[in-house]
Coordinates of all heavy atoms in Angstrom, one line a residue:
D9 N 6.6 9.4 17.8 CA 6.7 8.7 19.0 C 7.0 7.3 18.5 O 6.0 6.7 17.8 CB 5.4 8.8 19.8 CG 5.3 8.0 20.9 OD1 5.9 6.9 21.0 OD2 4.7 8.5 21.8
G10 N 8.0 6.7 19.0 CA 8.4 5.4 18.6 C 7.3 4.3 19.0 O 7.0 3.4 18.3
K11 N 6.9 4.4 20.2 CA 5.9 3.4 20.8 C 4.7 3.4 20.0 O 4.1 2.4 19.6 CB 5.6 3.6 22.2 CG 6.8 3.1 23.1 CD 6.6 3.3 24.6 CE 7.8 2.9 25.4 NZ 7.5 2.9 26.8
F12 N 4.1 4.5 19.7 CA 2.9 4.7 18.9 C 3.1 4.2 17.5 O 2.1 3.4 17.0 CB 2.4 6.1 18.8 CG 1.1 6.3 18.0 CD1 0.0 5.9 18.5 CD2 1.1 6.7 16.7 CE1 -1.3 6.0 17.6 CE2 0.1 6.9 15.9 CZ -1.1 6.5 16.4
S13 N 4.1 4.6 16.8 CA 4.5 4.0 15.5 C 4.6 2.5 15.5 O 4.0 1.8 14.6 CB 5.8 4.6 15.0 OG 6.1 4.1 13.7
E14 N 5.1 1.9 16.6 CA 5.2 0.5 16.6 C 3.8 -0.1 16.8 O 3.6 -1.1 16.0 CB 6.1 0.1 17.6 CG 6.4 -1.4 17.9 CD 7.3 -1.8 19.2 OE1 8.3 -0.9 19.3 OE2 7.2 -2.9 19.5
W15 N 3.1 0.5 17.6 CA 1.6 -0.1 17.8 C 1.0 -0.1 16.5 O 0.3 -1.0 16.1 CB 1.0 0.7 18.9 CG -0.4 0.4 19.0 CD1 -1.0 -0.6 19.8 CD2 -1.5 1.2 18.4 NE1 -2.3 -0.6 19.6 CE2 -2.8 0.5 18.9 CE3 -1.7 2.3 17.7 CZ2 -3.9 0.9 18.5 CZ3 -2.8 2.8 17.4 CH2 -4.0 2.0 17.8
A16 N 1.0 1.2 15.8 CA 0.2 1.3 14.6 C 0.6 0.4 13.6 O -0.4 0.1 12.7 CB 0.3 2.8 14.2
R17 N 1.7 0.0 13.5 CA 2.2 -0.9 12.5 C 1.7 -2.4 12.6 O 1.9 -3.2 11.6 CB 3.6 -0.8 12.1 CG 4.1 0.5 11.6 CD 5.6 0.3 11.2 NE 6.4 -0.2 12.2 CZ 7.3 0.4 13.0 NH1 7.4 1.7 13.0 NH2 8.0 -0.2 14.0
R18 N 1.2 -2.6 13.8 CA 0.9 -4.1 14.1 C -0.2 -4.5 13.1 O -1.1 -3.8 12.8 CB 0.5 -4.2 15.5 CG 1.7 -4.0 16.5 CD 1.3 -4.2 18.0 NE -0.1 -4.7 18.2 CZ -0.7 -4.4 19.3 NH1 -0.1 -3.8 20.3 NH2 -1.9 -4.7 19.4
K19 N -0.2 -5.9 12.9 CA -1.1 -6.4 11.9 C -2.6 -6.4 12.5 O -3.7 -6.5 11.9 CB -0.9 -7.9 11.5 CG 0.3 -7.8 10.6 CD 0.7 -9.3 10.2 CE 1.9 -9.3 9.3 NZ 2.3 -10.6 8.9
D20 N -2.8 -6.5 13.9 CA -4.0 -6.5 14.6 C -4.6 -5.2 14.8 O -5.7 -5.1 15.3 CB -3.8 -7.4 15.9 CG -2.9 -6.6 17.0 OD1 -2.0 -5.8 16.5 OD2 -3.1 -6.8 18.1
V21 N -4.0 -4.1 14.3 CA -4.5 -2.8 14.3 C -5.1 -2.5 13.1 O -4.7 -2.4 12.0 CB -3.4 -1.8 14.6 CG1 -4.0 -0.3 14.5 CG2 -2.8 -2.1 16.1
E22 N -6.5 -2.4 13.1 CA -7.2 -2.2 11.8 C -6.8 -0.7 11.3 O -6.8 0.3 12.0 CB -8.7 -2.1 12.1 CG -9.5 -1.8 10.8 CD -11.1 -2.2 11.1 OE1 -11.4 -3.1 11.8 OE2 -11.8 -1.5 10.4
K23 N -6.6 -0.6 10.0 CA -6.3 0.7 9.4 C -7.2 1.0 8.2 O -7.8 0.0 7.6 CB -4.9 0.6 8.9 CG -3.9 0.3 9.9 CD -2.6 -0.3 9.3 CE -1.6 -0.7 10.4 NZ -2.0 -2.0 11.1
E24 N -7.4 2.3 8.0 CA -8.3 2.6 6.8 C -7.4 3.6 5.9 O -7.0 4.5 6.3 CB -9.5 3.3 7.4 CG -10.4 3.7 6.3 CD -11.8 4.2 6.9 OE1 -12.4 3.6 7.7 OE2 -12.1 5.4 6.6
Y25 N -7.6 3.3 4.6 CA -6.8 4.1 3.6 C -7.8 4.7 2.6 O -8.7 3.9 2.2 CB -5.6 3.4 3.0 CG -4.7 2.9 3.8 CD1 -4.7 1.6 4.3 CD2 -3.5 3.5 4.4 CE1 -3.8 1.0 5.2 CE2 -2.7 3.1 5.1 CZ -2.7 1.8 5.7 OH -1.8 1.3 6.5
W26 N -7.7 5.8 2.2 CA -8.5 6.4 1.0 C -7.6 6.6 0.0 O -6.5 7.2 0.1 CB -9.2 7.7 1.5 CG -10.2 7.5 2.6 CD1 -10.1 6.9 3.8 CD2 -11.6 8.0 2.5 NE1 -11.2 6.8 4.4 CE2 -12.2 7.6 3.8 CE3 -12.4 8.5 1.6 CZ2 -13.5 7.8 4.0 CZ3 -13.6 8.8 1.8 CH2 -14.2 8.4 3.0
S27 N -8.0 6.5 -1.4 CA -7.2 6.6 -2.5 C -8.0 7.3 -3.5 O -9.1 6.9 -3.7 CB -6.5 5.4 -2.9 OG -5.9 5.6 -4.1
Q28 N -7.4 8.3 -4.2 CA -8.1 8.9 -5.4 C -7.3 8.2 -6.7 O -6.1 8.5 -6.6 CB -8.1 10.3 -5.4 CG -8.8 11.0 -6.5 CD -8.9 12.4 -6.4 OE1 -8.7 13.1 -5.4 NE2 -9.2 13.1 -7.5
V29 N -8.0 7.8 -7.7 CA -7.2 7.4 -8.8 C -7.8 8.3 -10.1 O -9.0 8.7 -10.1 CB -7.5 5.9 -9.1 CG1 -6.9 5.1 -8.0 CG2 -9.0 5.5 -9.2
D30 N -7.0 8.3 -11.0 CA -7.4 8.8 -12.4 C -8.0 7.8 -13.2 O -7.6 6.5 -13.3 CB -6.2 9.4 -13.1 CG -5.7 10.6 -12.4 OD1 -6.4 11.4 -11.7 OD2 -4.5 10.9 -12.6
G31 N -9.2 8.1 -13.9 CA -9.7 7.1 -14.8 C -10.7 6.3 -14.0 O -10.9 6.4 -12.8
E32 N -11.1 5.3 -14.6 CA -12.1 4.2 -14.2 C -11.2 3.1 -13.6 O -10.3 2.7 -14.1 CB -13.0 3.7 -15.2 CG -14.1 4.6 -15.7 CD -15.0 5.0 -14.8 OE1 -15.6 4.2 -14.1 OE2 -15.4 6.3 -14.6
I33 N -11.7 2.6 -12.3 CA -11.1 1.5 -11.8 C -12.0 0.3 -12.0 O -13.2 0.4 -11.9 CB -10.8 1.7 -10.2 CG1 -9.8 0.5 -9.8 CG2 -11.9 1.9 -9.4 CD1 -9.2 0.8 -8.4
T34 N -11.4 -0.7 -12.5 CA -12.3 -1.9 -12.8 C -12.6 -2.8 -11.6 O -11.9 -2.7 -10.6 CB -11.6 -2.9 -13.9 OG1 -10.4 -3.4 -13.3 CG2 -11.4 -2.0 -15.2
E35 N -13.6 -3.6 -11.7 CA -13.9 -4.6 -10.7 C -12.8 -5.6 -10.5 O -12.5 -6.0 -9.4 CB -15.2 -5.4 -11.0 CG -15.7 -6.3 -9.9 CD -15.9 -5.4 -8.6 OE1 -16.3 -4.3 -8.6 OE2 -15.6 -6.0 -7.6
A36 N -12.0 -5.9 -11.6 CA -10.9 -6.8 -11.6 C -9.7 -6.3 -10.8 O -9.1 -6.9 -9.9 CB -10.3 -7.1 -13.0
A37 N -9.5 -4.8 -10.8 CA -8.5 -4.2 -10.1 C -8.8 -4.2 -8.6 O -8.1 -4.4 -7.7 CB -8.3 -2.8 -10.6
L38 N -10.3 -4.0 -8.3 CA -10.7 -4.0 -7.0 C -10.6 -5.5 -6.3 O -10.1 -5.5 -5.1 CB -12.2 -3.5 -6.9 CG -12.5 -2.1 -7.3 CD1 -13.9 -1.9 -7.3 CD2 -11.8 -1.0 -6.3
E39 N -10.7 -6.3 -7.1 CA -10.6 -7.7 -6.6 C -9.1 -8.0 -6.3 O -8.9 -8.6 -5.3 CB -11.2 -8.7 -7.6 CG -11.2 -10.2 -7.2 CD -11.9 -10.4 -5.7 OE1 -12.9 -9.7 -5.5 OE2 -11.5 -11.1 -5.0
R40 N -8.1 -7.5 -7.1 CA -6.7 -7.7 -6.8 C -6.4 -7.1 -5.6 O -5.7 -7.6 -4.8 CB -5.9 -7.2 -7.9 CG -5.8 -8.1 -9.2 CD -5.0 -7.6 -10.4 NE -4.0 -6.7 -10.1 CZ -3.9 -5.7 -10.9 NH1 -4.6 -5.6 -12.0 NH2 -2.9 -4.8 -10.8
L41 N -6.9 -5.9 -5.2 CA -6.6 -5.2 -4.0 C -7.2 -6.1 -2.8 O -6.4 -6.1 -1.9 CB -7.3 -3.9 -4.0 CG -6.7 -2.6 -4.9 CD1 -7.5 -1.4 -4.9 CD2 -5.2 -2.5 -4.4
R42 N -8.3 -6.6 -3.0 CA -8.9 -7.4 -1.9 C -8.1 -8.6 -1.7 O -8.0 -8.9 -0.5 CB -10.4 -7.8 -2.5 CG -11.3 -6.8 -2.4 CD -12.8 -7.3 -2.8 NE -13.7 -6.3 -3.0 CZ -14.1 -5.8 -4.1 NH1 -13.7 -6.4 -5.3 NH2 -14.9 -4.8 -4.1
R43 N -7.5 -9.2 -2.5 CA -6.6 -10.5 -2.4 C -5.3 -10.0 -1.9 O -4.6 -11.0 -1.3 CB -6.5 -11.2 -3.7 CG -7.8 -12.0 -4.1 CD -7.6 -13.0 -5.2 NE -6.7 -12.3 -6.2 CZ -7.1 -11.9 -7.5 NH1 -8.4 -11.8 -7.7 NH2 -6.4 -11.4 -8.4
G44 N -4.8 -8.9 -2.1 CA -3.5 -8.4 -1.7 C -2.6 -8.1 -3.0 O -2.8 -9.0 -3.9
V45 N -1.8 -7.3 -3.0 CA -1.0 -7.0 -4.1 C 0.5 -7.0 -3.7 O 0.9 -6.7 -2.6 CB -1.3 -5.5 -4.7 CG1 -2.8 -5.6 -5.3 CG2 -1.2 -4.4 -3.8
E46 N 1.3 -7.2 -4.8 CA 2.7 -7.2 -4.6 C 3.3 -5.7 -4.7 O 2.9 -5.2 -5.7 CB 3.4 -8.2 -5.5 CG 5.0 -8.3 -5.3 CD 5.8 -9.1 -6.3 OE1 5.3 -9.2 -7.4 OE2 6.6 -9.8 -5.9
I47 N 4.0 -5.4 -3.9 CA 4.7 -4.1 -3.8 C 6.2 -4.5 -4.0 O 6.7 -5.2 -3.2 CB 4.3 -3.3 -2.6 CG1 2.8 -3.0 -2.6 CG2 5.2 -2.0 -2.6 CD1 2.4 -2.2 -1.3
R48 N 6.9 -3.6 -4.9 CA 8.2 -3.7 -5.1 C 8.9 -2.4 -5.1 O 8.4 -1.4 -5.5 CB 8.6 -4.4 -6.5 CG 8.2 -5.8 -6.6 CD 8.6 -6.3 -8.0 NE 7.3 -7.0 -8.5 CZ 7.1 -7.2 -9.8 NH1 8.0 -6.8 -10.7 NH2 5.9 -7.8 -10.2
R49 N 10.1 -2.4 -4.7 CA 11.0 -1.2 -4.5 C 12.5 -1.6 -4.6 O 12.8 -2.8 -4.3 CB 10.7 -0.4 -3.3 CG 11.2 -1.1 -2.0 CD 11.0 -0.1 -0.8 NE 11.3 -0.8 0.4 CZ 12.5 -1.3 0.8 NH1 13.7 -1.1 0.0 NH2 12.6 -1.8 1.9
P50 N 13.4 -0.7 -5.1 CA 14.7 -1.0 -5.1 C 15.2 -1.4 -3.7 O 14.8 -0.8 -2.7 CB 15.3 0.3 -5.6 CG 14.4 1.0 -6.2 CD 13.0 0.7 -5.5
S51 N 16.1 -2.4 -3.5 CA 16.7 -2.7 -2.3 C 17.7 -1.7 -1.8 O 18.4 -1.1 -2.6 CB 17.5 -4.0 -2.4 OG 16.6 -5.1 -2.8
S52 N 17.8 -1.4 -0.5 CA 18.7 -0.5 0.1 C 20.1 -1.2 0.0 O 20.2 -2.5 -0.1 CB 18.4 -0.1 1.5 OG 18.5 -1.3 2.4
E53 N 21.0 -0.5 0.1 CA 22.5 -1.1 0.2 C 22.6 -2.1 1.4 O 23.3 -3.2 1.4 CB 23.6 0.0 0.3 CG 23.8 0.7 -0.9 CD 24.1 -0.1 -2.2 OE1 24.9 -1.1 -2.1 OE2 23.5 0.1 -3.3
R54 N 22.0 -1.7 2.6 CA 22.0 -2.6 3.7 C 21.3 -3.9 3.4 O 21.8 -5.1 3.7 CB 21.4 -1.9 4.9 CG 21.4 -2.7 6.1 CD 20.7 -2.0 7.3 NE 20.6 -2.9 8.4 CZ 19.7 -3.9 8.7 NH1 18.9 -4.2 7.7 NH2 19.7 -4.6 9.8
E55 N 20.1 -3.8 2.8 CA 19.4 -5.1 2.6 C 20.2 -6.0 1.6 O 20.3 -7.1 1.6 CB 18.0 -4.7 1.8 CG 17.1 -4.0 2.9 CD 16.0 -3.3 2.2 OE1 16.0 -2.9 1.0 OE2 15.1 -3.1 2.9
K56 N 20.9 -5.3 0.5 CA 21.6 -6.1 -0.4 C 22.9 -6.7 0.5 O 23.1 -8.0 0.2 CB 22.3 -5.3 -1.5 CG 21.3 -4.8 -2.4 CD 21.9 -3.8 -3.4 CE 20.8 -3.0 -4.2 NZ 21.5 -2.0 -5.2
R57 N 23.4 -6.1 1.3 CA 24.7 -6.5 2.0 C 24.2 -7.7 3.0 O 25.1 -8.7 3.1 CB 25.2 -5.3 2.9 CG 26.6 -5.4 3.4 CD 27.2 -4.3 3.9 NE 26.4 -3.6 5.0 CZ 25.8 -2.4 4.7 NH1 25.8 -1.8 3.7 NH2 25.1 -1.9 5.7
I58 N 23.1 -7.6 3.7 CA 22.9 -8.7 4.6 C 22.0 -9.9 3.9 O 21.7 -10.8 4.5 CB 22.0 -8.2 5.8 CG1 20.5 -7.6 5.4 CG2 22.8 -7.0 6.6 CD1 19.6 -7.3 6.5
G59 N 21.7 -9.6 2.6 CA 21.1 -10.8 2.0 C 19.6 -10.9 2.4 O 19.2 -12.1 2.6
D60 N 18.9 -9.9 2.6 CA 17.4 -9.9 3.1 C 16.7 -10.9 2.2 O 16.8 -10.8 1.0 CB 16.8 -8.6 3.1 CG 15.4 -8.5 3.8 OD1 14.6 -9.2 3.2 OD2 15.3 -7.9 4.8
E61 N 16.0 -11.8 2.9 CA 15.2 -12.9 2.1 C 14.1 -12.3 1.1 O 13.8 -13.0 0.3 CB 14.5 -13.8 3.0 CG 13.4 -13.1 3.9 CD 12.8 -14.1 5.0 OE1 13.7 -14.7 5.7 OE2 11.6 -14.1 5.2
N62 N 13.7 -11.1 1.4 CA 12.8 -10.5 0.4 C 13.4 -9.7 -0.7 O 12.8 -9.1 -1.5 CB 11.8 -9.6 1.1 CG 10.9 -10.4 2.0 OD1 10.4 -11.4 1.7 ND2 10.7 -9.8 3.3
S63 N 14.7 -9.6 -0.6 CA 15.6 -8.8 -1.6 C 16.2 -9.8 -2.7 O 17.1 -10.5 -2.3 CB 16.7 -8.0 -0.8 OG 17.4 -7.3 -1.8
K64 N 15.6 -9.8 -3.9 CA 16.3 -10.6 -4.9 C 16.5 -9.7 -6.1 O 15.6 -9.0 -6.6 CB 15.3 -11.8 -5.3 CG 15.0 -12.8 -4.2 CD 14.3 -13.9 -4.5 CE 14.1 -14.8 -3.3 NZ 12.8 -14.7 -2.5
G65 N 17.8 -9.8 -6.8 CA 18.0 -9.0 -8.0 C 18.0 -7.5 -7.7 O 17.7 -6.8 -8.6
G66 N 18.2 -7.2 -6.5 CA 18.3 -5.8 -6.2 C 16.9 -5.1 -6.0 O 16.7 -3.8 -6.0
T67 N 15.9 -6.0 -5.8 CA 14.4 -5.4 -5.6 C 13.8 -6.1 -4.4 O 14.0 -7.3 -4.2 CB 13.6 -5.7 -6.7 OG1 14.2 -5.2 -7.9 CG2 12.2 -5.3 -6.7
M68 N 13.3 -5.2 -3.4 CA 12.5 -5.7 -2.4 C 11.2 -5.8 -2.7 O 10.6 -5.1 -3.5 CB 12.6 -4.8 -1.2 CG 13.9 -4.7 -0.4 SD 14.2 -6.0 0.5 CE 13.1 -6.0 1.8
S69 N 10.5 -7.1 -2.4 CA 9.1 -7.2 -2.6 C 8.4 -7.9 -1.3 O 8.8 -8.6 -0.6 CB 8.9 -8.0 -3.9 OG 9.3 -9.3 -3.6
Y70 N 7.1 -7.5 -1.3 CA 6.2 -8.2 -0.3 C 4.8 -8.0 -0.8 O 4.6 -7.1 -1.7 CB 6.4 -7.5 1.0 CG 6.0 -6.1 1.1 CD1 4.8 -5.7 1.5 CD2 6.9 -5.0 0.9 CE1 4.4 -4.4 1.6 CE2 6.7 -3.7 1.0 CZ 5.2 -3.4 1.3 OH 5.0 -2.1 1.4
T71 N 3.9 -8.8 -0.2 CA 2.5 -8.8 -0.7 C 1.6 -8.3 0.5 O 1.9 -8.8 1.6 CB 2.0 -10.2 -1.1 OG1 2.9 -10.7 -2.2 CG2 0.6 -10.2 -1.6
T72 N 0.9 -7.4 0.2 CA -0.1 -6.8 1.2 C -1.0 -7.9 1.6 O -1.3 -8.8 1.0 CB -0.8 -5.6 0.7 OG1 -1.6 -6.0 -0.5 CG2 0.0 -4.4 0.2
L73 N -1.5 -7.6 2.8 CA -2.6 -8.6 3.4 C -3.9 -8.4 2.7 O -4.1 -7.2 2.1 CB -2.8 -8.3 4.8 CG -1.6 -8.6 5.8 CD1 -1.8 -8.1 7.2 CD2 -1.3 -10.1 5.6
P74 N -4.7 -9.4 2.5 CA -6.1 -9.2 2.0 C -6.7 -8.2 2.8 O -6.6 -7.8 4.0 CB -6.7 -10.6 2.2 CG -5.6 -11.5 2.3 CD -4.5 -10.8 2.9
C75 N -7.6 -7.4 2.2 CA -8.4 -6.3 2.8 C -9.8 -6.1 2.1 O -10.0 -6.7 1.1 CB -7.5 -5.0 2.6 SG -7.4 -4.4 0.9
G76 N -10.5 -5.3 2.8 CA -11.9 -4.9 2.4 C -11.6 -3.6 1.5 O -10.8 -2.8 1.6
V77 N -12.4 -3.6 0.3 CA -12.2 -2.5 -0.8 C -13.6 -2.1 -1.0 O -14.5 -2.8 -1.4 CB -11.5 -2.9 -1.9 CG1 -11.4 -1.9 -3.0 CG2 -10.1 -3.4 -1.7
L78 N -13.8 -0.7 -1.1 CA -15.1 -0.1 -1.5 C -14.8 0.9 -2.6 O -13.8 1.6 -2.4 CB -15.8 0.6 -0.3 CG -16.2 -0.3 0.9 CD1 -16.6 0.6 2.0 CD2 -17.2 -1.3 0.6
R79 N -15.7 1.0 -3.5 CA -15.7 2.1 -4.5 C -16.6 3.2 -4.0 O -17.9 2.8 -3.7 CB -16.1 1.6 -5.8 CG -16.1 2.7 -6.9 CD -16.7 2.3 -8.2 NE -16.6 0.9 -8.5 CZ -15.9 0.6 -9.5 NH1 -15.3 1.5 -10.3 NH2 -15.7 -0.6 -9.9
L80 N -16.0 4.4 -3.9 CA -16.9 5.5 -3.5 C -17.2 6.3 -4.8 O -16.4 6.7 -5.5 CB -16.2 6.5 -2.6 CG -15.7 5.7 -1.2 CD1 -14.9 6.7 -0.4 CD2 -16.9 5.2 -0.4
E81 N -18.5 6.4 -5.1 CA -18.9 7.1 -6.2 C -19.1 8.6 -5.9 O -19.7 9.1 -5.0 CB -20.3 6.7 -6.6 CG -20.4 5.2 -7.0 CD -19.4 4.9 -8.2 OE1 -19.3 5.8 -9.1 OE2 -19.1 3.6 -8.4
T82 N -18.2 9.4 -6.6 CA -18.2 10.9 -6.4 C -18.0 11.7 -7.8 O -17.8 11.0 -8.7 CB -16.9 11.3 -5.5 OG1 -15.7 10.9 -6.2 CG2 -16.9 10.5 -4.3
E83 N -18.2 12.9 -7.7 CA -18.0 13.7 -8.8 C -16.6 13.7 -9.3 O -15.7 13.7 -8.3 CB -18.4 15.1 -8.7 CG -19.7 15.4 -7.8 CD -19.9 16.9 -7.8 OE1 -19.2 17.8 -8.3 OE2 -20.8 17.2 -7.0
V84 N -16.2 13.9 -10.5 CA -14.9 14.1 -10.9 C -14.5 15.4 -10.6 O -15.2 16.6 -10.7 CB -14.8 13.9 -12.4 CG1 -13.4 14.2 -12.9 CG2 -15.2 12.6 -12.9
V85 N -13.2 15.7 -9.9 CA -12.8 16.9 -9.4 C -11.5 17.1 -10.2 O -10.6 16.2 -10.1 CB -12.5 16.8 -7.9 CG1 -11.8 18.2 -7.4 CG2 -13.8 16.7 -7.2
E86 N -11.2 18.3 -10.9 CA -10.0 18.5 -11.6 C -9.1 19.1 -10.7 O -9.3 20.1 -10.0 CB -10.3 19.3 -12.8 CG -9.1 19.5 -13.7 CD -9.3 20.2 -15.0 OE1 -10.5 20.3 -15.4 OE2 -8.4 20.8 -15.4
V87 N -7.8 18.6 -10.6 CA -6.9 19.1 -9.8 C -5.8 19.9 -10.7 O -5.3 19.3 -11.6 CB -6.2 18.0 -9.0 CG1 -5.0 18.6 -8.1 CG2 -7.1 17.4 -8.1
K88 N -5.5 21.0 -10.4 CA -4.6 21.9 -11.1 C -3.2 22.1 -10.3 O -3.4 22.3 -9.2 CB -5.2 23.3 -11.5 CG -6.4 23.0 -12.5 CD -6.9 24.4 -12.9 CE -8.2 24.1 -13.8 NZ -8.7 25.3 -14.4
N89 N -2.2 21.9 -11.0 CA -0.9 22.2 -10.3 C -0.7 23.7 -10.0 O -1.0 24.5 -11.0 CB 0.2 21.8 -11.3 CG 0.4 20.3 -11.4 OD1 -0.2 19.5 -10.5 ND2 0.9 19.9 -12.4
V90 N -0.4 24.1 -8.9 CA -0.1 25.5 -8.5 C 1.3 25.5 -8.2 O 1.9 24.9 -7.4 CB -1.0 25.8 -7.2 CG1 -0.7 27.3 -6.8 CG2 -2.5 25.6 -7.5
V91 N 2.0 26.4 -8.9 CA 3.4 26.6 -8.6 C 3.8 27.8 -8.0 O 3.1 28.9 -8.2 CB 4.2 26.5 -10.1 CG1 5.7 26.7 -9.8 CG2 3.8 25.1 -10.7

C-alpha cells in the first residue's frame, strides 16, 4: 500500500529495529549507532545521470538519524544453514 509505505517512512513515525550480530559488540560501536552511521551503496544509473547530490564517485551515501540503542543480553544461539 503506497499511502501506508509513505506514512511509515516519515521521520516523525517512531520505528523499532532488532538486530542480531556475531561476536561481541563494543560500547564504542553502540555509541556510533546512537550518533548515526553513514550508509553507502553503489549509485543507480538514474542517480548518476541526474547528478543526485548524495551520489559522488558512483556511490550514494547518507547518515542515519541519531537513535536509542540497547544491548539485549541473551544466550548464544547457533544458526545452521539448511539447504
Side-chain angles (χ1 to χ4, degrees):
D9 179 329
K11 288 183 181 184
F12 177 77
S13 177
E14 184 177 331
W15 172 83
R17 289 190 317 255
R18 292 182 3 205
K19 291 180 181 179
D20 63 331
V21 174
E22 186 173 320
K23 298 156 188 79
E24 183 173 308
Y25 302 93
W26 293 55
S27 174
Q28 180 176 345
V29 297
D30 291 331
E32 292 292 319
I33 187 163
T34 65
E35 188 56 39
L38 294 174
E39 186 55 35
R40 283 187 12 229
L41 287 171
R42 288 182 185 107
R43 288 193 314 265
V45 294
E46 183 180 32
I47 296 176
R48 289 184 232 154
R49 65 168 174 77
S51 298
S52 71
E53 289 305 315
R54 179 182 179 281
E55 291 160 341
K56 291 177 193 173
R57 201 171 47 252
I58 66 172
D60 189 295
E61 64 189 45
N62 294 321
S63 179
K64 296 185 177 101
T67 303
M68 285 292 288
S69 69
Y70 63 93
T71 302
T72 62
L73 295 173
C75 65
V77 176
L78 300 172
R79 178 195 319 254
L80 302 175
E81 301 295 337
T82 63
E83 325 176 359
V84 174
V85 176
E86 186 175 336
V87 178
K88 297 181 180 183
N89 291 335
V90 177
V91 181

